[in-house]
Amino acid sequence: MGTGIGARVARKEDARLLSGQARFVGDLKFPRLLEAAYVRSPLAHGRLKSVTVPAKYKDRVFTASDLTDVLPIRPESSLPGYKASEHYPLAKDKVRFVGECIAICVAPTRAEAEDIADQVVVDIDPLPPLVNAADAKSKDAPLVHDDWDDNLFLTTTFDGDMAFAEKNATVVIEREYNTARQCMNPMEGKGTLSHWDEKAGQLVVYTSTQVPHLIRTGVAQYLQMDQGQVRVIAPDVGGGFGYKCVLQPEELSVSWVARKLRRPVRWVEDRREHLVAGANTRQHHYKIKAYADDRGKLLGLDAEITVDVGAYSVWPFTACLEAAQAGGNLPGPYALEGYRCKTYSVATNKPGFTPYRGVARPGVCFAMELTIDAIARAVGREPADVRRENLVPGSAMPYTNVTGKFYDSGDYQHSISEATKAIGLEAFRKRQKEARAQGRFLGLGFGTFTEQSAHGTKVFASWGLPLVPGYEQAMVKLTPSGSVEVRSGNHSFGQGLETTIGQVASEWLTVDISKINVVMGDTGMTPYSTGAYASRGMVMAGGAVSKAAEELAARIRVHAAHLLQCDAEDVTLKGGKAWRGAASVDFADIARAWYLRPDQLDEDVDTAGLEVTQGYKPDIDTGVFTYATHAAIVEVDAETGKVSFEDYYVFEDCGRRVNPMILEGQTYGGAAQGIGTALFEEVLYDPSGQPLTSTLADYILPGPAELPHFRLGHSETPSPYTRHGIKGVGEGAAIAPGGAVLNAINDALEPLGVEINELPATPHKILSAIIDADHQKEVAG
Amino acid sequence: MKPVGFQFAQPETLAEATRMLRDPGEDTKIMAGGQSLGPMLNLRLARPEKIISIAGLSELRVVDEGADFIEFGAALRHAEFEDGSLPEPIDGMMRHVARGIAYRPVRNRGTIGGSLCHADPAADWITALTALGATVRIVSAKGDTRDVDMTRFMHGAYRTEVNSDEIVTSVIVPRYSPSAVWGYYKTCRKVGEFADAIAAWVADPVKRYSRVVFGATAGAPIISVPLSQQIATTGEVPGKDVIKTELERLAPGLDRVKQHLLAVALQRCTKQALNHD
Ligand SMILES: Cc1cc2nc3c(=O)[nH]c(=O)nc-3n(C[C@H](O)[C@H](O)[C@H](O)COP(=O)(O)OP(=O)(O)OC[C@H]3O[C@@H](n4cnc5c(N)ncnc54)[C@H](O)[C@@H]3O)c2cc1C
């Protein structure tokens, strides 16, 4: 194995990240650099009458009236009925959320830029704000976009056959669920620095992004430039989570000013800007009617999903990816037959919805998992059993579910069995009983899900996106000194791709990873890639590197054969050398021969050389499905509403594990974010649309003391359809905690007659529900 | 989130610092640990022309141990209380309170005087020191010194007795007998966050002293005389309903969850105190 696939290799990037040697956008130094600060809308909704800039700052402040040659961000979608929105990088006639950019101010320091911003006067005629989706959906709601006839970006309907379910169900469960609006809070916020490179004749954009090539496409498109005139470089990036997979309006305005002034300009998002203008994800509402038989077998599901999309559609994923995914993924790992689902993507006066780690699935998993538990309670059975019996059985794989999702492989039921065993279900039920007798409230909850990863062309096309990923390319090269260089247009921003794609190259070339240099993020140096999102990096970039490395290995064998005086078929690679029996030649010698002493090689040597670019596409286009079961044991302090963890176990199968240690890290991190979703994180607004959670004192993120000690278990069911059987896993662990933790809370509080169906389950919500239930009991008797 | 430009002064003596406060035309602000003022500056909620740093003034970093009291310099840091390097007026209470404030990096800089002067209703020292019957010593630009009892020190959220030309120099805490008991309980959403509810109880049979204080309310900490007496006489944890009724009287119209949490906090803190010995 060495440092190839399956090895627990320490991350290549950690030495620089942990010793402060990484270079983020904020670390870059340029002569004559200007720092930018934005004048942002103080109101949620209003007509922008005027922006007055003090005369002395005319060449320091720019507004929509300056950026006349910039097109508004207007993502299209081919989904029928979709309405496009126009987002000007600096607001033009109307402001549509608190924090929307109105003017960009530049100065030698950020503090001075903020001083200038303080002196810009904006005059806005307030309009009635739309702060929640239900209001925005109502008939005579004011319009977010004046040229629309309602506030719906899109409505979709999936009209399956419910007749059997409706006729045969003995149990019908009706619930409404809410998930909060969240901010993704990568440690490094957005940051972007642009400068005009006179020699290259290029606008060079350093930006904190997951998708450098897409940003290059986007910047060129909206600034109306040729792509050859734009180079995007993503340096070290401190976390993305989806926040950095879309074109940001700031990337356009900063670039415009840099091009105009012919000076480097940088904007670095601060936490307040993030918590206000980046409050853009997760907010769903569900209305669910579930039909089951008296064993809890789910016969059908009738759902209405409303996504609070905010004011604008993001490029390229649009406002509707979320709802499309929610409607398609709600049935999740369950084998139900009847399904009806209506989705609404509603425009409101909030920042435009951006897909966050797990995309829609944390919401649908929450709704589905709570519904399964509600059914189990209604039929008086153990939720783990009801859950297991409803899952697609391993024997049915591959399986096409009710919404047409093609589950490629796996044994979902096994994940429950493992989780049940590891968490000690039976012993727990005993302990729970004893604890209840002492007035302590323990609860156990499960959350099971599938994570569609690396979905390809057909899937994205079905979501109507303007831009569809299909293949991925990578370059692998043997350098003149015999080391290896890998170039990928994907990006590594905390998820370890820099190491894991190196491991894939190491697998084929048998070179130790310390001798493999991975270059990513610079569109000037890497093949086109739509980037890192949708858990596609490992499958796609890994697959491309695998193909390129395989081809390079073949070429190395040909050259080696000449040096070893044998046939290429007789050459094997091992330990960074080519072998024929006991005789060997070092890669360094092979490289030297090719680059510097071609006279040592065959007369008709293959001039394709030792630098290989290959493209990759999995055998299926529908994505490959990772799956997992999370199990949480919590104790709820019924007097304070506080939830603490006794145990948390994750059993996951993501196919072949390229680096188990990185996978564990991804699981810890994702699960921690999921616990933020479950218990802590919530963007709140007052009735006028003012955000009330604009600092980290108000927007609570979990810290180490709030997190459980996660325990992990794995199985490996390789996908039959990808190189090495790899499936994506980056998002997964963020999906289930909402469901698992809330099920545990509801299990704990069942004796009090309390059921929480809203995220996050804050102490205040839990306590209010307990006080209400208490009150009802008093009233009742 | 960068502050407006300001001058930064680092006086070497307290006298020099107070002198700097004399000019009424100049908008100055004292900075101790900067852990509350810093964010206010960055959010541009505070825009002083000049900041006078008192963090390094040795006169504000002394401890004076009297027979009946201990006087703590205002610039002593939370971490110094936490680490047990300072004397205790009552067995372990100040150390316990300090340990529960914020996170270690904040405690490394934040000061007891700064915390009192910032007067966040949810802060710990204002409630704890009220329960301890402490007195705050204040000096003015003119050099006058006055002592203010904790019960009168805080006027409301972020408002105190301290005028803009004054500096808090120390906190004087009475010493308690070995038979004294204390309890301090707070609920908060996560470790290091400001409290949702605080209750403190300090009682000393030798001094015939008992004081129940509720904190993290809308304004200054609230003392309950009836509950102070009840707990001292019965030696028992009061019932939730009794506490809630008293809170209704002391702070009518409190949010019911807040009221409930305050009641729970008091029950837990008295239980803690009564189990002490
Ligand atoms: C993340 C975080 C979490 C926190 N959590 C808690 C918590 O759980 N509990 C808690 O109690 N506190 C908490 N705090 C506040 C912390 O305790 C601060 O240290 C304290 O409130 C202020 O002390 P300071 O010395 O930093 O004062 P500074 O920030 O320097 O000053 C605060 C104010 O007091 C004035 N001032 C300071 N010293 C004097 C003086 N000697 N005389 C006159 N005026 C003065 C200043 O002018 C300013 O207005 C938290 C802070 C942070 C950043």
Side-chain angles (χ1 to χ4, degrees):
Chain A
M1 182 193 300
T3 57
I5 292 175
R8 297 178 74 88
V9 177
R11 302 202 313 178
K12 289 169 77 65
E13 56 270 45
D14 282 348
R16 71 172 188 278
L17 290 172
L18 297 178
S19 61
Q21 301 305 308
R23 263 184 4 142
F24 299 96
V25 168
D27 296 314
L28 302 175
K29 293 210 162 49
F30 279 85
R32 302 172 67 238
L33 177 65
L34 293 171
E35 302 279 356
Y38 285 92
V39 176
R40 291 176 180 273
S41 175
L43 295 183
H45 196 192
R47 257 176 236 299
L48 185 57
K49 309 297 279 185
S50 64
V51 184
T52 313
V53 178
K56 59 180 168 176
Y57 295 132
K58 285 284 184 237
D59 57 349
R60 295 292 185 151
V61 180
F62 304 93
T63 67
S65 60
D66 299 301
L67 272 63
T68 47
D69 52 346
V70 181
L71 301 174
I73 300 173
R74 190 179 200 280
E76 299 291 346
S77 166
S78 59
L79 294 176
Y82 168 85
K83 302 190 194 81
S85 62
E86 294 196 336
H87 187 181
Y88 285 86
L90 298 173
K92 206 169 155 211
D93 307 312
K94 229 182 149 183
V95 288
R96 295 185 176 87
F97 65 90
V98 174
E100 182 167 0
C101 295
I102 294 176
I104 177 172
C105 312
V106 294
T109 65
R110 171 67 178 252
E112 291 164 284
E114 289 186 20
D115 289 346
I116 296 174
D118 269 356
Q119 296 171 60
V120 174
V121 180
V122 294
D123 182 11
I124 300 172
D125 259 0
L127 290 166
L130 290 159
V131 187
N132 66 65
D135 291 346
K137 227 158 97 178
S138 74
K139 272 221 158 46
D140 354 277
L143 294 174
V144 176
H145 297 282
D146 297 350
D147 52 339
W148 295 10
D149 49 11
D150 56 23
N151 288 315
L152 295 169
F153 273 100
L154 183 72
T155 309
T156 67
T157 309
F158 183 94
D159 226 346
D161 186 359
M162 293 291 293
F164 180 82
E166 282 165 354
K167 193 160 147 249
N168 294 291
T170 50
V171 174
V172 178
I173 296 287
E174 286 187 75
R175 289 289 185 281
E176 288 196 32
Y177 302 106
N178 279 300
T179 62
R181 199 168 201 81
Q182 284 186 242
C183 296
M184 298 182 215
N185 276 299
M187 261 203 245
E188 181 212 21
K190 271 303 290 187
T192 192
L193 183 159
S194 297
H195 73 96
W196 185 261
D197 181 333
E198 291 290 353
K199 177 163 175 288
Q202 272 184 328
L203 178 73
V204 181
V205 183
Y206 289 86
T207 194
S208 183
T209 187
Q210 304 166 225
V211 291
H213 288 272
L214 279 190
I215 298 304
R216 181 185 198 181
T217 301
V219 167
Q221 178 179 334
Y222 290 107
L223 291 185
Q224 307 197 69
M225 297 167 76
D226 186 90
Q227 289 216 23
Q229 289 180 296
V230 180
R231 175 174 174 189
V232 170
I233 302 171
D236 276 316
V237 173
F241 310 119
Y243 188 59
K244 301 173 184 173
C245 75
V246 300
L247 180 68
Q248 303 275 346
E250 291 90 349
E251 281 165 333
L252 296 179
S253 50
V254 163
S255 294
W256 186 91
V257 177
R259 188 180 65 180
K260 158 119 187 143
L261 299 181
R262 292 287 199 266
R263 278 183 77 167
V265 178
R266 166 167 59 197
W267 167 71
V268 175
E269 179 187 66
D270 66 32
R271 195 55 55 179
R272 191 146 197 248
E273 288 179 299
H274 181 73
L275 292 171
V276 173
N280 59 16
T281 197
R282 286 283 194 258
Q283 194 166 20
H284 296 189
H285 171 80
Y286 294 82
K287 227 166 146 171
I288 285 192
K289 200 167 176 184
Y291 299 84
D293 69 15
D294 50 13
R295 296 283 296 159
K297 167 85 190 134
L298 195 54
L299 304 176
L301 199 66
D302 195 345
E304 199 181 289
I305 306 175
T306 303
V307 180
D308 184 334
V309 167
Y312 299 109
S313 205
V314 293
W315 187 92
F317 294 108
T318 81
C320 302
L321 175 75
E322 185 80 4
Q325 281 234 37
N329 282 313
L330 183 61
Y334 298 104
L336 60 100
E337 304 271 312
Y339 183 55
R340 196 154 56 198
C341 182
K342 201 153 186 187
T343 75
Y344 300 92
S345 300
V346 184
T348 57
N349 291 117
K350 297 179 189 168
F353 206 103
T354 305
Y356 173 26
R357 193 176 197 170
V359 191
R361 286 156 296 188
V364 297
C365 173
F366 167 67
M368 197 64 199
E369 292 305 297
L370 264 64
T371 301
I372 295 284
D373 271 38
I375 292 171
R377 281 197 292 277
V379 300
R381 296 188 65 211
E382 179 62 59
D385 295 336
V386 172
R387 185 167 273 104
R388 186 188 311 104
E389 289 167 22
N390 274 302
L391 289 171
V392 174
S395 57
M397 290 293 172
Y399 177 88
T400 302
N401 88 341
V402 66
T403 61
K405 301 244 175 272
F406 180 74
Y407 295 157
D408 59 301
S409 57
D411 185 350
Y412 302 167
Q413 294 178 328
H414 179 241
S415 75
I416 299 252
S417 307
E418 289 292 328
T420 311
K421 240 189 291 166
I423 209 90
L425 176 66
E426 275 172 39
F428 171 76
R429 289 291 177 217
K430 251 192 236 130
R431 254 182 326 121
Q432 183 181 36
K433 229 195 215 140
E434 289 159 16
R436 276 180 189 170
Q438 301 159 14
R440 288 175 54 212
F441 298 90
L442 303 182
L444 168 59
F446 291 93
T448 303
F449 66 92
T450 55
E451 176 188 5
Q452 186 174 22
S453 68
H455 5 310
T457 315
K458 283 194 203 79
V459 179
F460 277 94
S462 77
W463 293 330
L465 298 192
L467 204 150
V468 167
Y471 57 86
E472 178 89 9
Q473 292 187 328
M475 189 271 263
V476 181
K477 162 182 176 179
L478 195 66
T479 72
S481 53
S483 63
V484 173
E485 187 172 290
V486 174
R487 295 184 184 218
S488 159
N490 216 292
H491 202 31
S492 192
F493 41 88
Q495 80 283 41
L497 204 60
E498 186 174 333
T499 299
T500 47
I501 62 173
Q503 286 183 257
V504 174
S506 173
E507 176 79 16
W508 284 106
L509 299 169
T510 73
V511 170
D512 190 87
I513 191 140
S514 60
K515 286 181 149 177
I516 298 176
N517 186 32
V518 177
V519 178
M520 280 194 275
D522 184 344
T523 58
M525 293 168 72
T526 58
Y528 200 94
S529 161
T530 58
Y533 53 89
S535 298
R536 69 188 291 280
M538 194 63 251
V539 176
M540 301 300 295
V545 169
S546 173
K547 272 186 78 178
E550 182 184 14
E551 169 64 19
L552 179 60
R555 292 191 196 171
I556 288 172
R557 274 200 296 273
V558 172
H559 289 272
H562 188 80
L563 298 174
L564 291 166
Q565 306 283 306
C566 65
D567 286 341
E569 292 86 79
D570 297 332
V571 177
T572 51
L573 306 185
K574 211 178 127 205
K577 290 181 176 163
W579 299 79
R580 173 205 176 196
S584 71
V585 52
D586 206 280
F587 280 12
D589 297 322
I590 299 169
R592 193 176 313 117
W594 163 253
Y595 288 105
L596 309 173
R597 296 296 307 274
D599 56 302
Q600 293 177 353
L601 295 173
D602 219 355
E603 267 301 300
D604 52 353
V605 61
D606 182 357
T607 52
L610 297 175
E611 185 173 317
V612 182
T613 299
Q614 289 272 315
Y616 172 66
K617 206 172 162 214
D619 301 343
I620 51 171
D621 235 356
T622 46
V624 285
F625 287 79
T626 286
Y627 58 95
T629 293
H630 289 210
I633 295 182
V634 303
E635 174 161 4
V636 183
D637 182 333
E639 285 196 318
T640 63
K642 277 195 82 164
V643 175
S644 54
F645 288 96
E646 195 177 274
D647 198 2
Y648 199 108
Y649 181 79
V650 179
F651 188 88
E652 186 157 46
D653 188 323
C654 62
R656 188 88 177 275
R657 287 176 292 165
V658 176
N659 183 328
M661 190 160 62
I662 288 181
L663 169 62
E664 287 155 17
Q666 288 292 294
T667 308
Y668 295 142
Q673 284 180 311
I675 283 169
T677 301
L679 296 176
F680 297 97
E681 300 182 40
E682 176 172 33
V683 177
L684 297 169
Y685 292 91
D686 77 3
S688 70
Q690 289 295 331
L692 301 172
T693 42
S694 64
T695 74
L696 290 179
D698 308 301
Y699 186 89
I700 310 288
L701 293 165
E706 284 69 47
L707 295 171
H709 175 76
F710 298 109
R711 296 191 297 126
L712 314 180
H714 294 281
S715 58
E716 284 197 357
T717 312
S719 173
Y721 306 103
T722 61
R723 281 226 150 200
H724 310 290
I726 296 168
K727 302 177 183 177
V729 73
E731 299 170 89
I735 295 173
V741 173
L742 270 278
N743 276 339
I745 293 172
N746 289 339
D747 182 44
L749 296 181
E750 197 191 354
L752 299 179
V754 167
E755 189 184 294
I756 313 271
N757 291 316
E758 207 179 313
L759 293 176
T762 59
H764 195 277
K765 275 181 209 158
I766 293 176
L767 203 49
S768 302
I770 292 173
I771 295 173
D772 283 344
D774 235 25
H775 188 67
Q776 267 168 16
K777 259 182 239 149
E778 267 167 38
V779 172
Chain B
M1 272 214 298
K2 302 283 181 215
V4 177
F6 55 81
Q7 290 173 49
F8 190 66
Q10 287 177 287
E12 295 194 343
T13 63
L14 179 59
E16 197 188 328
T18 48
R19 249 196 323 275
M20 288 178 178
L21 289 169
R22 268 190 209 153
D23 180 359
E26 194 175 42
D27 180 11
T28 56
K29 197 91 188 137
I30 306 260
M31 181 182 281
Q35 297 304 292
S36 296
L37 184 56
M40 305 293 276
L41 292 169
N42 284 343
L43 293 167
R44 297 196 166 203
L45 294 171
R47 298 168 172 237
E49 291 163 23
K50 183 173 181 176
I51 285 177
I52 303 168
S53 169
I54 58 163
L57 294 183
S58 54
E59 292 124 297
L60 302 187
R61 299 196 27 80
V62 288
V63 181
D64 188 358
E65 291 200 65
D68 300 328
F69 63 86
I70 305 175
E71 183 174 356
F72 296 100
L76 290 168
R77 302 179 197 111
H78 310 325
E80 291 168 304
F81 288 94
E82 175 185 17
D83 292 345
S85 53
L86 303 175
E88 281 275 3
I90 186 168
D91 180 35
M93 179 169 174
M94 292 184 74
R95 190 173 183 181
H96 172 86
V97 171
R99 188 184 298 143
I101 298 174
Y103 313 91
R104 182 72 195 197
V106 175
R107 300 197 288 272
N108 283 341
R109 285 171 176 265
T111 65
I112 190 166
S115 179
L116 292 175
C117 294
H118 186 60
D120 188 319
D124 290 276
W125 285 130
I126 55 162
T127 297
L129 290 167
T130 304
L132 282 167
T135 304
V136 182
R137 183 155 290 173
I138 304 172
V139 348
S140 74
K142 287 194 225 94
D144 304 335
T145 299
R146 62 189 181 115
D147 287 350
V148 179
D149 194 275
M150 269 310 293
T151 52
R152 288 187 296 109
F153 179 78
M154 187 166 159
H155 292 178
Y158 309 105
R159 289 185 297 118
T160 68
E161 265 288 303
V162 188
N163 297 315
S164 59
D165 65 343
E166 290 181 316
I167 296 180
V168 168
T169 55
S170 64
V171 189
I172 302 157
V173 187
R175 279 190 191 272
Y176 290 87
S177 78
S179 50
V181 294
W182 62 269
Y184 186 87
Y185 192 90
K186 69 167 174 177
T187 62
C188 52
R189 288 208 47 202
K190 76 183 240 203
V191 170
E193 275 314 310
F194 277 101
D196 292 324
I198 305 179
W201 177 49
V202 173
D204 188 348
V206 175
K207 296 174 82 148
R208 308 188 65 75
Y209 180 88
S210 171
R211 185 176 277 180
V212 162
V213 185
F214 296 101
T217 61
I222 300 172
I223 297 175
S224 166
V225 176
L227 286 170
S228 306
Q229 282 167 351
Q230 182 187 326
I231 303 170
T233 25
T234 62
E236 274 171 20
V237 176
K240 252 188 222 82
D241 290 343
V242 175
I243 306 174
K244 286 186 182 178
T245 309
E246 169 67 351
L247 280 167
E248 196 57 55
R249 183 183 73 83
L250 291 168
L254 269 188
D255 166 63
R256 65 192 180 135
V257 169
K258 176 75 100 183
Q259 192 189 66
H260 178 92
L261 286 174
L262 287 168
V264 171
L266 182 60
Q267 286 188 317
R268 291 187 181 184
C269 103
T270 45
K271 201 182 216 167
Q272 190 187 59
L274 295 167
N275 288 342
H276 252 198
D277 35 15

